[in-house]
Amino acid sequence: MALFKKASRWRLFYLVNAAFLLVWFLYFIPALNHPYIGIEIQPNAGGWIVVQSDPNGVGYQSGIRAGDLIVEVNRQRPDRFPLVQSWGEVEGARSLKVVGAGDTTRVIDMPSAQSWATMLSVMPMPLLGMLFWLIGCLTWIKRSYLIQARNLFWLNLFLGLAIVLAPASGRLLFGARELESVSFSLASAYLVKFISVFPEQRENKANAIANRVMLAIFLTVMTVTGLKLLGILTSIIFLTGVMQLMENSSSINPKKFEDTIQKSPKRFDIFKRHP
């Protein structure tokens, strides 16, 4: 029985390592060739407003700033773009129609490939993730009979996987962000398990409670990730914002609000641009 259990353990070890290498290649190569736009948008009374523009992204380098309005994504309404529906981001877009400061409207074409300098900047994260994985593998191979070594392997595997997926997740490559969320939550769970057996295995009430808490966190992450993937969470946020806007507008004196806008042109510039 012990021999069968050991053989099964090693088969699982080989299987998950093969899966790690497969994920590494599937996401590392596309991330090198996929431009990072770095724009996050949210629904607004006048359209979709940019709430964050990463200075490292193509969007910022093209002149898009927080407060600008995204009117079209790929020559369609932003809410028709799948990644806007699920994540509120425009990664993978080929073109953006933007209304910026001074009511200037521009159509910005996104590059289809990255420069060599950008490709080199992507490489450290996948290489660092592979380093974590290799340390875990060596620990298992040297001391596979120790539960501490096995738990450290699983901890490094999921942590390394999350690090590898970071560039692909930022570019919203298919399934990358979901896998990253799951990997981080599993890494947290195995960190708790590793601490509970290091330096020696011990079972107590605190460890049992910690394991239940980590399980609850993992299930929460999985649920939120699933809702985001289906676009349900974004829809809930959008409807909440619309209801709040309607509630606020019903309690505002229109004449007084117009006077306030006229006196504070910079603060309420967005209302002037898009009445």
Side-chain angles (χ1 to χ4, degrees), residues 6-40:
K6 183 178 179 180
S8 300
R9 189 181 296 156
W10 277 96
R11 280 197 294 268
L12 180 61
F13 174 75
Y14 295 136
L15 181 62
V16 296
N17 285 330
F20 177 90
L21 290 173
L22 179 63
V23 170
W24 194 91
F25 281 106
L26 284 176
Y27 284 106
F28 174 58
I29 304 302
L32 287 177
N33 300 299
H34 198 287
Y36 171 58
I37 298 176
I39 298 295
E40 184 177 339

Side-chain angles (χ1 to χ4, degrees), residues 58-165:
V58 176
Y60 186 92
Q61 295 164 9
S62 301
I64 301 175
R65 299 293 185 268
D68 291 349
L69 289 179
I70 304 297
V71 181
E72 291 181 1
V73 178
N74 293 348
R75 305 188 185 282
Q76 293 183 334
R77 282 171 24 201
D79 56 3
R80 291 178 179 268
F81 190 64
L83 295 181
V84 170
Q85 296 174 6
S86 54
W87 296 102
E89 298 182 30
V90 294
E91 297 298 330
R94 298 183 300 274
S95 67
L96 299 174
K97 189 174 183 179
V98 184
V99 179
D103 286 341
T104 55
T105 302
R106 297 177 296 152
V107 176
I108 302 173
D109 292 322
M110 297 293 114
S112 57
Q114 298 190 119
S115 65
W116 282 103
T118 306
M119 287 185 184
L120 290 174
S121 69
V122 173
M123 294 181 68
M125 294 295 280
L127 294 178
L128 179 62
M130 180 164 278
L131 179 62
F132 271 87
W133 167 71
L134 284 172
I135 292 172
C137 284
L138 289 173
T139 306
W140 179 294
I141 293 170
K142 293 281 188 181
R143 298 286 189 273
S144 63
Y145 55 88
L146 293 176
I147 189 172
Q148 294 90 341
R150 297 196 298 272
N151 280 347
L152 183 61
F153 163 75
W154 288 108
L155 170 61
N156 277 24
L157 174 77
F158 290 118
L159 190 57
L161 185 60
I163 296 172
V164 165
L165 289 168

Side-chain angles (χ1 to χ4, degrees), residues 50 65 68 93 100 104 122 126 128 136 141 149 170 179 210 213 220 230 235 238 240 244 258-260 271-272:
V50 177
R65 299 293 185 268
D68 291 349
T104 55
V122 173
L128 179 62
I141 293 170
L179 280 175
V213 170
T220 302
L230 295 172
S235 301
F238 175 73
T240 303
Q244 187 66 33
E258 181 65 27
D259 292 342
T260 305
F271 293 100
K272 288 184 166 185

